[in-house]
Amino acid sequence: MDHHLPASSKIEPLAIQAPLSRLVVTLAKGGLVLHPVGGNGHKRYRGPAVSVSWGKDAKLERIDEWDAVEEDAHDGCEFSGVVGLLRGFHDSFLIVIQSSTVAATLFNDPFRTVYSIDSLLAVPLSEPLATPLLQKLSLKQRLSKPSDWSTSTSDDSSDSDDDAMSTAMSESGLSEAAPEADAAPIRIPKKVIDQTINKLAKKNFWKKGPLAKFDRSAAGTAAGATATPFLEESTKPELTRTPPPLPPRPGSAPAPVVTSSAPPPLPPRPKQVETEDAKPVLDAEAVEVAATTGEPEDKATIDAQKELDEKIVRECMKELKGMYWSTGMVSPDITHSLARKHEILLSTSPSPKPSTPSSPSRESAFVEPLQNLPLWRRADKRFWWNAHLAAPFVDAGLHSYVLVVQQGFIRQTSVLLPIQTYSTLGNPSPTSPVGKEDKAVEVNMVIMSRRSIERAGLRYQRRGINVQGGVANFVETEFLVGAERDGKLHVSSFVQTRGSIPVFWSQSPWALKPPPVLERTPAESLAAMTKHFEKQTKLYGRQVIVNLAETSGKEALVVNAYKEGVEQMAKDNVKYMSWDFHHQTKGMKYENISKLISELYGDLEDIGCFWSTDSQIYSLQSGAVRTNCIDCLDRTNVVQSAIARWFLNRHLVHLGLSSQEEAGMHDALDLAFNGLWADNGDAISREYAGTSALKGDFTRTGKRNLRGALNDASNSVARLLQSTVSGPSFFRPIVVLHLIHFYSDFFKQATIDYVLGHNLNVFAEFQSKLGGSDPGEILRLAQIRLEAIETSAQFVLSEGEERLAGWTLLSPEQQDAVRSTKYEEKVLLLSDKAVYVVSYEYSLQKVLSFKRIPIGDIAGIQKGAYLLSALDPSARDPSENFGFKLFFHDSATTERVWTYSLRVKDPKSAAAAQPALAATTPSDTDVHFYAFKVLRKDAVRLGADQQSQIISRREEDGRNKSAKAGAEEIISRLLEECEKFGAPEWVKERDIIGLAEAQAQTSILDKLNHKLQSLIWLG
């Protein structure tokens, strides 16, 4: 899916292809400058860099050589890497990694280190906001690591460190004296650092959630502006005004003090009401959140956009926290398994040869394929979570700044395993202590779970499959085992997958334990399922399906549909096995899982594993076990760990560390294995359901007990409150008190779709219905609309009549009305002779009625804002709520109506409406009109390659116009045909329904209901 991330053909890529391990972000004229960490200190850097301009539509530009001294650059802030650019509705943000931890060092190779994100920083691309934020962070880094900011060229590093520390302390107004007389010299404790930072700003702020929010009414700050640092929740900034400027460079003139040119103070915030927990609650008029891409209409809209940006940033950083990436000169690709890398090596080598034990490959199994390409080009796009955020850097050819961030789980552990001849591994001789002198072998185990972005989302929000064959909660889990034998490192890899049942189905988030519901037709599910397994067999080989869902009760509906679909596919390389987990383990009889492994024994032997050294391939994996339950979490975790245990036992035999007769593993190895897989299950569960996995006690200890059952009950309640919007009566007091916190999945899902680029209009939808559409449904609806136009044209056009254009537009059910209790999507067809207004039944795919209007009878057009609601900014945006009236003479029109058994319609029974024509319209008594509202253009569409394509709302390339631009095109096309028939070019620009009228038509009850829902969902 890299079609939306094209490599720049105009800008030559940087010479450094590997992602930077560290970089510096510096304040500069007109924006930010990003550059690698230099050896002479940040303020003396000279070399290639990247500029990022200020503004919502920030531009990236490569700088061949940037000199920090010549540019008189401020102190920079050092970061681990750039996640990408998040374009909000009022501001854009540079997302950078502030701190990280080592998740794994693959097989003790420091060049193959994998990192996990601990905290991030969102730098607003607005000078008044970014300047104090970066200056504060720069000072903090200078105090903690002064040598990195040293500008001295002396060899005496200690003196330069002291100078830098003294300078930093003098800026903050602190004394150089130690707090205690006998304290160690030249050591600044963390408390003093915090005091230094706090002295730079007054604590005039509000806190909302993990972010600090600031009182914009404090207009008289020294800098004349307030700053809103958007930080990850582990950091809690307390900054409300710009810190004092850093001292001038030695030898330079002091900066003049300018007071008259300070920016004007920001307007006061909407009034707020303090609650008992000191968390502000916005006044009703300020609760609305902006989701418009047009020009802000007023201060309330601007404030709403800023509020929305803040919440999107917060949710984005929560989602990114804990994700994984790799960097360095080797830059191991963590998105591909070892077996997949080997396949790529064979396919790209000059004369690829099959690798078998009898004919081993000479290619090292640890060589990264295609190292001449940037890491993002080598990555598996299914698992690249920041692809949309990193797109601006990719488009600019800035490959060394592009990180491939992956969600899932990566962890490594090692165990010293003794080699024993007469005692079992589970019962080592107490008189034989384990040690290197006793021929012990270190066994390294690594789990790498990769979550897919193809149908990314949360439990109850994303279920089943999409039309491209992507399934919800799809995870590829690779279990790696490494051990050194006879002086060679042997590494084996075993890949399993999990994913939602691949049919169209859903569960309502509005009910307690909702039953699964099938959607669409069996033929549509079969087509999508076929695509899914064609991809799976291409990527992994033979598929062994293990369905753990219940074969009776609520789950049976989708289980039976799954089984029937596989039977209809009739693929030889896809095997289906149903194993009702709850029935088989009823009464905590989890030992019965061994029966499932016995049933899978032949398939597991046939599939095998990938096993190699640095010079020889011993075996290849020829398939994968695809496990699922309903959530693909708890039951799936237990079974996948049992399959992995079987693989590990078999591999220990291959390595000569165990024997066929031994019943189990060494105690320490067993404990490490169980902990690794239990942590993996918890991580995947938190990412999909928001809680740790159920049945984790069995995975972690190999036993099921009452304590584990009680813990599962607690997690089940947490999932219920977080994922659903109703509950039993005894939960209602909790719901009333904590509704906003528990019912956050809707906004989280909207943020995921927005950050991944799956649906860039999701927040506009969220405003109107407090929920976002499934991108798959958006694509399906777009296809249905195209089919409606085709069907209508075939049905209504006369022989010899040529269709010129067609559109689907929202319109009142009856003519001569602009407002109605019922609206429908009509099909408007333009032929070379007439205009057709078609009423179409989308569920039946049939034409109900149509009116034919000869082009010569068109009397005029009125265009303008068409606001059907005034409840939120997106509904009040005239550029996205635009329409037109089509006036026509009724003397020569013809109308036909078809009556179907499911619906009877009398087109003449139109409800009373507004006066058909205003004073400026034609005055003929036979003139009537249809009112049309142009639909908002989708920011997701189906490409020629049947993949979801991203269309930026800000692109002006004709692919994604505003509703107003779409209306102008339709009107222009109509007028072009009217000229051919001598019809007058009469177009009047006047609102169809203006803002004042829309507000007058909105009842108080509707307003209160909308405000209450907004408080619940938006916080």
Coordinates of all heavy atoms in Angstrom, one line a residue, residues 60-131:
L60 N 8.1 21.1 3.8 CA 9.5 20.6 4.1 C 10.4 20.8 3.0 O 10.0 20.7 1.8 CB 9.4 19.1 4.4 CG 9.0 18.6 5.8 CD1 7.5 18.9 6.1 CD2 9.2 17.1 6.0
E61 N 11.6 21.2 3.3 CA 12.6 21.5 2.2 C 14.0 21.0 2.7 O 14.4 21.3 3.9 CB 12.6 23.0 1.9 CG 13.6 23.4 0.8 CD 13.6 24.9 0.5 OE1 12.7 25.6 1.1 OE2 14.4 25.3 -0.3
R62 N 14.7 20.4 1.8 CA 16.0 19.9 2.1 C 17.0 21.1 2.0 O 16.9 21.9 1.1 CB 16.4 18.8 1.2 CG 17.9 18.4 1.3 CD 18.3 17.4 0.2 NE 19.7 17.2 0.2 CZ 20.3 16.5 -0.7 NH1 19.7 16.0 -1.7 NH2 21.6 16.3 -0.6
I63 N 17.9 21.2 3.0 CA 19.0 22.2 2.9 C 20.3 21.4 2.8 O 20.7 20.6 3.6 CB 19.0 23.0 4.2 CG1 17.7 23.7 4.5 CG2 20.1 24.0 4.2 CD1 17.6 24.4 5.8
D64 N 21.0 21.7 1.7 CA 22.3 20.9 1.5 C 23.3 21.2 2.5 O 24.0 20.3 2.9 CB 22.8 21.3 0.1 CG 21.9 20.8 -1.0 OD1 21.3 19.7 -0.8 OD2 21.9 21.4 -2.1
E65 N 23.4 22.4 2.9 CA 24.4 22.8 4.0 C 23.8 23.9 4.8 O 23.5 25.0 4.3 CB 25.8 23.1 3.4 CG 26.8 23.4 4.5 CD 28.2 23.5 3.9 OE1 28.5 22.8 2.9 OE2 29.0 24.2 4.5
W66 N 23.7 23.6 6.1 CA 23.2 24.6 7.0 C 24.2 24.8 8.1 O 24.7 23.9 8.7 CB 21.9 24.1 7.6 CG 21.2 25.0 8.5 CD1 20.4 26.1 8.1 CD2 21.1 25.0 9.9 NE1 19.9 26.8 9.2 CE2 20.3 26.1 10.3 CE3 21.6 24.2 10.9 CZ2 20.0 26.4 11.7 CZ3 21.4 24.5 12.2 CH2 20.6 25.6 12.6
D67 N 24.5 26.1 8.4 CA 25.5 26.5 9.4 C 24.8 27.1 10.6 O 24.2 28.2 10.4 CB 26.5 27.4 8.7 CG 27.7 27.6 9.6 OD1 27.6 27.6 10.9 OD2 28.8 27.8 9.1
A68 N 24.8 26.5 11.7 CA 24.2 27.0 12.9 C 24.8 28.3 13.3 O 24.1 29.2 13.8 CB 24.3 26.0 14.0
V69 N 26.1 28.5 13.1 CA 26.7 29.8 13.5 C 26.3 30.9 12.6 O 25.9 32.0 13.1 CB 28.3 29.6 13.5 CG1 29.0 30.9 13.8 CG2 28.7 28.5 14.4
E70 N 26.3 30.7 11.3 CA 25.9 31.8 10.4 C 24.4 32.1 10.6 O 24.0 33.3 10.5 CB 26.1 31.3 9.0 CG 27.6 31.2 8.6 CD 27.8 30.9 7.2 OE1 26.8 30.7 6.5 OE2 28.9 30.8 6.7
E71 N 23.6 31.1 10.9 CA 22.2 31.4 11.1 C 21.8 31.9 12.4 O 20.7 32.2 12.7 CB 21.4 30.1 10.8 CG 21.5 29.5 9.4 CD 20.8 30.4 8.4 OE1 19.9 31.1 8.8 OE2 21.2 30.3 7.2
D72 N 22.9 32.0 13.3 CA 22.6 32.5 14.7 C 21.5 31.7 15.3 O 20.6 32.2 15.9 CB 22.3 34.0 14.7 CG 22.4 34.5 16.1 OD1 23.1 33.9 16.9 OD2 21.8 35.6 16.4
A73 N 21.6 30.3 15.2 CA 20.5 29.5 15.7 C 20.5 29.4 17.2 O 21.5 29.5 17.9 CB 20.7 28.0 15.1
H74 N 19.3 29.2 17.7 CA 19.1 29.0 19.1 C 19.5 27.6 19.5 O 19.8 26.8 18.6 CB 17.6 29.2 19.5 CG 17.1 30.6 19.3 ND1 17.4 31.6 20.2 CD2 16.4 31.2 18.3 CE1 16.8 32.7 19.8 NE2 16.2 32.5 18.7
D75 N 19.6 27.3 20.7 CA 19.9 26.0 21.2 C 18.9 25.0 20.7 O 17.7 25.3 20.7 CB 20.0 25.9 22.7 CG 21.3 26.6 23.2 OD1 22.3 26.7 22.5 OD2 21.3 27.1 24.4
G76 N 19.3 23.9 20.3 CA 18.4 22.9 19.8 C 18.0 21.9 20.8 O 18.6 21.8 21.9
C77 N 17.0 21.0 20.5 CA 16.6 20.0 21.4 C 16.8 18.6 20.7 O 16.6 18.5 19.5 CB 15.1 20.1 21.7 SG 14.6 21.6 22.5
E78 N 17.4 17.7 21.4 CA 17.8 16.4 20.9 C 16.7 15.4 21.1 O 16.1 15.3 22.1 CB 19.1 16.0 21.5 CG 19.7 14.7 20.8 CD 21.1 14.4 21.4 OE1 21.8 15.3 21.8 OE2 21.4 13.2 21.4
F79 N 16.4 14.7 20.0 CA 15.3 13.6 20.0 C 15.8 12.3 19.4 O 16.8 12.3 18.7 CB 14.1 14.1 19.3 CG 13.5 15.4 19.9 CD1 13.7 16.6 19.3 CD2 12.7 15.3 21.0 CE1 13.1 17.8 19.9 CE2 12.1 16.4 21.6 CZ 12.4 17.7 21.0
S80 N 15.1 11.3 19.6 CA 15.4 10.0 19.1 C 15.0 9.8 17.7 O 15.6 9.0 16.9 CB 14.8 8.9 20.0 OG 15.3 8.9 21.3
G81 N 14.0 10.5 17.2 CA 13.5 10.4 15.9 C 12.3 11.2 15.6 O 11.6 11.7 16.5
V82 N 11.8 11.2 14.4 CA 10.6 11.9 13.9 C 9.6 10.9 13.6 O 9.9 10.0 12.7 CB 10.9 12.9 12.8 CG1 9.6 13.5 12.3 CG2 11.9 13.9 13.1
V83 N 8.4 11.0 14.2 CA 7.3 10.1 13.8 C 6.6 10.6 12.5 O 6.2 9.9 11.6 CB 6.3 9.9 14.9 CG1 5.1 9.1 14.5 CG2 7.0 9.3 16.1
G84 N 6.5 12.0 12.4 CA 5.9 12.5 11.3 C 5.2 13.9 11.6 O 5.3 14.4 12.6
L85 N 4.4 14.3 10.6 CA 3.6 15.6 10.7 C 2.2 15.2 10.9 O 1.6 14.5 10.1 CB 3.8 16.4 9.5 CG 5.0 17.3 9.3 CD1 5.0 18.1 8.0 CD2 5.2 18.3 10.5
L86 N 1.6 15.7 11.9 CA 0.1 15.6 12.2 C -0.5 16.9 11.8 O -0.3 17.9 12.5 CB -0.1 15.2 13.6 CG -1.6 15.1 14.0 CD1 -2.3 14.0 13.2 CD2 -1.8 14.9 15.5
R87 N -1.3 16.9 10.8 CA -2.0 18.1 10.3 C -3.3 18.2 11.0 O -4.2 17.4 10.7 CB -2.1 18.1 8.8 CG -0.8 18.1 8.1 CD -0.9 18.4 6.6 NE 0.4 18.2 5.9 CZ 1.3 19.1 5.8 NH1 1.1 20.3 6.4 NH2 2.4 18.9 5.1
G88 N -3.5 19.2 11.9 CA -4.7 19.4 12.6 C -5.6 20.3 11.8 O -5.5 20.6 10.6
F89 N -6.6 20.8 12.5 CA -7.6 21.7 11.9 C -7.3 23.2 12.1 O -7.8 24.0 11.3 CB -9.0 21.4 12.4 CG -9.5 20.0 12.0 CD1 -9.2 18.9 12.8 CD2 -10.2 19.8 10.8 CE1 -9.6 17.7 12.4 CE2 -10.6 18.6 10.4 CZ -10.3 17.5 11.2
H90 N -6.5 23.5 13.1 CA -6.1 24.9 13.3 C -4.5 25.0 13.2 O -4.0 25.9 12.6 CB -6.5 25.4 14.6 CG -6.2 26.9 14.8 ND1 -5.0 27.3 15.3 CD2 -6.9 28.0 14.5 CE1 -5.0 28.7 15.3 NE2 -6.1 29.1 14.8
D91 N -3.8 24.0 13.6 CA -2.4 23.9 13.6 C -1.9 22.6 13.1 O -2.7 21.6 13.1 CB -1.8 24.2 15.0 CG -2.1 25.6 15.5 OD1 -1.7 26.6 14.8 OD2 -2.7 25.7 16.6
S92 N -0.7 22.5 12.7 CA 0.0 21.2 12.5 C 1.1 21.0 13.5 O 1.5 22.0 14.2 CB 0.6 21.2 11.1 OG -0.4 21.2 10.1
F93 N 1.5 19.8 13.7 CA 2.4 19.4 14.8 C 3.5 18.4 14.2 O 3.2 17.5 13.5 CB 1.6 18.7 15.9 CG 0.5 19.5 16.4 CD1 -0.8 19.5 15.8 CD2 0.7 20.4 17.5 CE1 -1.8 20.2 16.3 CE2 -0.4 21.1 18.0 CZ -1.6 21.1 17.4
L94 N 4.7 18.7 14.7 CA 5.8 17.8 14.4 C 5.9 16.8 15.6 O 6.2 17.2 16.7 CB 7.1 18.6 14.3 CG 8.4 17.7 14.0 CD1 8.3 17.2 12.6 CD2 9.6 18.6 14.2
I95 N 5.6 15.5 15.3 CA 5.6 14.5 16.4 C 7.0 13.9 16.4 O 7.5 13.3 15.4 CB 4.6 13.4 16.1 CG1 3.2 14.0 15.8 CG2 4.5 12.5 17.3 CD1 2.6 14.8 17.0
V96 N 7.7 14.0 17.5 CA 9.1 13.5 17.7 C 9.1 12.6 18.9 O 8.3 12.7 19.9 CB 10.1 14.7 17.9 CG1 10.3 15.4 16.6 CG2 9.7 15.6 19.0
I97 N 10.0 11.7 18.9 CA 10.2 10.7 20.0 C 11.1 11.4 21.0 O 12.3 11.7 20.7 CB 10.8 9.4 19.5 CG1 9.8 8.8 18.5 CG2 11.0 8.4 20.7 CD1 10.4 7.5 17.8
Q98 N 10.6 11.5 22.2 CA 11.4 12.2 23.3 C 12.3 11.2 24.1 O 13.4 11.5 24.4 CB 10.5 13.0 24.2 CG 11.2 14.0 25.1 CD 10.2 14.9 25.7 OE1 9.0 14.7 25.7 NE2 10.7 16.0 26.3
S99 N 11.7 10.1 24.4 CA 12.5 9.1 25.1 C 12.0 7.7 24.7 O 10.9 7.5 24.3 CB 12.3 9.3 26.6 OG 11.0 9.0 27.0
S100 N 12.9 6.7 24.9 CA 12.6 5.3 24.5 C 13.4 4.4 25.3 O 14.4 4.8 26.0 CB 13.0 5.2 23.0 OG 14.3 5.4 22.7
T101 N 13.1 3.1 25.2 CA 13.8 2.0 25.9 C 14.1 0.9 24.9 O 13.4 0.8 23.8 CB 13.0 1.4 27.0 OG1 11.7 1.0 26.5 CG2 12.7 2.5 28.1
V102 N 15.1 0.1 25.2 CA 15.5 -1.0 24.3 C 14.5 -2.1 24.6 O 14.4 -2.6 25.7 CB 16.9 -1.4 24.6 CG1 17.2 -2.7 23.8 CG2 17.9 -0.3 24.3
A103 N 13.8 -2.5 23.5 CA 12.8 -3.6 23.7 C 13.5 -4.9 23.4 O 13.2 -5.9 24.1 CB 11.7 -3.4 22.7
A104 N 14.5 -5.0 22.5 CA 15.2 -6.2 22.2 C 16.5 -5.9 21.5 O 16.5 -4.9 20.7 CB 14.3 -7.2 21.4
T105 N 17.5 -6.7 21.8 CA 18.7 -6.7 21.0 C 18.8 -8.0 20.4 O 19.2 -9.0 21.0 CB 19.9 -6.4 21.9 OG1 19.8 -5.1 22.6 CG2 21.2 -6.3 21.1
L106 N 18.4 -8.1 19.1 CA 18.2 -9.4 18.5 C 19.5 -10.2 18.5 O 20.5 -9.9 17.9 CB 17.7 -9.2 17.1 CG 16.4 -8.4 17.0 CD1 15.9 -8.3 15.5 CD2 15.3 -9.0 17.8
F107 N 19.4 -11.3 19.2 CA 20.5 -12.3 19.3 C 21.8 -11.6 19.7 O 22.9 -11.9 19.2 CB 20.7 -13.1 18.0 CG 19.4 -13.7 17.6 CD1 18.7 -13.3 16.5 CD2 18.8 -14.7 18.4 CE1 17.5 -13.8 16.1 CE2 17.6 -15.3 18.0 CZ 16.9 -14.8 16.9
N108 N 21.7 -10.6 20.7 CA 22.8 -9.9 21.3 C 23.7 -9.2 20.3 O 24.9 -8.9 20.5 CB 23.7 -10.9 22.0 CG 23.0 -11.6 23.2 OD1 22.1 -11.0 23.8 ND2 23.2 -12.9 23.3
D109 N 23.1 -8.8 19.2 CA 23.8 -8.0 18.1 C 23.4 -6.6 18.3 O 22.2 -6.2 18.1 CB 23.4 -8.5 16.7 CG 24.2 -7.8 15.6 OD1 24.9 -6.8 16.0 OD2 24.0 -8.2 14.5
P110 N 24.3 -5.7 18.8 CA 23.9 -4.3 19.1 C 23.5 -3.5 17.8 O 22.8 -2.5 17.9 CB 25.2 -3.7 19.6 CG 26.3 -4.6 19.2 CD 25.7 -6.0 19.1
F111 N 23.8 -4.0 16.6 CA 23.4 -3.4 15.4 C 22.0 -3.8 15.1 O 21.4 -3.2 14.1 CB 24.3 -3.7 14.2 CG 25.7 -3.2 14.4 CD1 26.8 -4.0 14.8 CD2 26.0 -1.8 14.2 CE1 28.0 -3.5 14.9 CE2 27.2 -1.3 14.3 CZ 28.3 -2.2 14.7
R112 N 21.4 -4.7 15.8 CA 20.0 -5.1 15.6 C 19.1 -4.8 16.8 O 18.5 -5.7 17.3 CB 19.9 -6.6 15.2 CG 20.8 -6.9 14.0 CD 20.7 -8.4 13.6 NE 21.8 -8.7 12.6 CZ 21.7 -8.5 11.3 NH1 20.6 -7.9 10.9 NH2 22.6 -8.8 10.5
T113 N 19.2 -3.6 17.2 CA 18.5 -3.1 18.4 C 17.1 -2.6 18.0 O 17.0 -1.8 17.1 CB 19.2 -2.1 19.2 OG1 20.5 -2.6 19.5 CG2 18.5 -1.7 20.5
V114 N 16.1 -3.0 18.8 CA 14.7 -2.5 18.6 C 14.3 -1.7 19.8 O 14.6 -2.1 20.9 CB 13.7 -3.7 18.4 CG1 12.3 -3.2 18.2 CG2 14.2 -4.6 17.2
Y115 N 13.7 -0.6 19.5 CA 13.3 0.4 20.6 C 11.8 0.5 20.7 O 11.1 0.2 19.8 CB 13.9 1.8 20.3 CG 15.4 1.8 20.2 CD1 16.0 1.7 18.9 CD2 16.2 2.0 21.3 CE1 17.4 1.7 18.8 CE2 17.6 2.1 21.2 CZ 18.2 1.9 19.9 OH 19.5 1.9 19.8
S116 N 11.4 0.8 21.9 CA 10.0 1.1 22.3 C 9.8 2.5 22.7 O 10.6 3.0 23.5 CB 9.5 0.1 23.4 OG 8.2 0.4 23.8
I117 N 8.8 3.2 22.2 CA 8.6 4.6 22.5 C 8.0 4.7 23.9 O 7.0 4.1 24.3 CB 7.5 5.2 21.5 CG1 8.1 5.1 20.1 CG2 7.2 6.6 21.9 CD1 7.1 5.6 19.0
D118 N 8.7 5.5 24.7 CA 8.3 5.8 26.1 C 7.5 7.1 26.1 O 6.4 7.2 26.8 CB 9.5 5.9 27.0 CG 10.0 4.6 27.5 OD1 9.3 3.6 27.2 OD2 11.1 4.5 28.0
S119 N 8.0 8.2 25.5 CA 7.3 9.4 25.5 C 7.5 10.2 24.2 O 8.5 10.0 23.5 CB 7.7 10.3 26.7 OG 9.0 10.7 26.6
L120 N 6.6 11.0 23.8 CA 6.6 11.8 22.6 C 6.4 13.3 22.9 O 5.9 13.6 24.0 CB 5.6 11.3 21.6 CG 5.7 9.8 21.1 CD1 4.5 9.1 21.7 CD2 5.8 9.7 19.6
L121 N 6.8 14.1 21.9 CA 6.5 15.5 22.0 C 5.9 16.0 20.7 O 6.4 15.6 19.6 CB 7.8 16.3 22.3 CG 7.7 17.8 22.3 CD1 7.0 18.2 23.6 CD2 9.1 18.5 22.3
A122 N 4.8 16.7 20.8 CA 4.1 17.3 19.7 C 4.5 18.8 19.6 O 4.0 19.5 20.5 CB 2.6 17.1 19.7
V123 N 5.3 19.2 18.7 CA 5.7 20.6 18.6 C 4.8 21.3 17.7 O 4.7 21.0 16.5 CB 7.2 20.7 18.1 CG1 7.6 22.1 18.0 CG2 8.1 19.8 18.9
P124 N 4.0 22.3 18.2 CA 3.1 23.0 17.3 C 3.9 23.8 16.2 O 4.9 24.4 16.6 CB 2.4 23.9 18.2 CG 2.6 23.4 19.6 CD 3.9 22.7 19.5
L125 N 3.5 23.8 15.0 CA 4.2 24.5 13.9 C 3.7 25.9 13.9 O 3.2 26.4 12.9 CB 4.1 23.8 12.6 CG 4.8 22.4 12.6 CD1 4.6 21.8 11.2 CD2 6.3 22.6 12.9
S126 N 3.7 26.5 15.0 CA 3.3 27.9 15.2 C 4.4 28.6 16.1 O 4.7 28.1 17.2 CB 2.0 28.0 15.9 OG 1.7 29.3 16.4
E127 N 5.0 29.7 15.6 CA 6.1 30.3 16.3 C 5.8 30.7 17.8 O 6.6 30.4 18.7 CB 6.6 31.4 15.5 CG 7.9 32.0 16.1 CD 8.5 33.1 15.2 OE1 7.9 33.5 14.2 OE2 9.7 33.5 15.4
P128 N 4.6 31.3 18.0 CA 4.3 31.7 19.4 C 4.2 30.5 20.4 O 4.4 30.6 21.6 CB 3.0 32.5 19.3 CG 2.9 32.9 17.9 CD 3.6 31.8 17.1
L129 N 3.8 29.3 19.8 CA 3.6 28.2 20.7 C 4.9 27.3 20.8 O 5.2 26.8 21.8 CB 2.5 27.3 20.1 CG 1.1 28.0 20.0 CD1 0.1 27.0 19.5 CD2 0.6 28.5 21.4
A130 N 5.6 27.2 19.7 CA 6.8 26.3 19.6 C 8.0 26.9 20.4 O 8.8 26.2 21.0 CB 7.1 26.0 18.2
T131 N 8.1 28.3 20.3 CA 9.3 28.9 20.8 C 9.5 28.7 22.3 O 10.5 28.2 22.8 CB 9.3 30.4 20.5 OG1 9.3 30.6 19.1 CG2 10.5 31.1 21.1

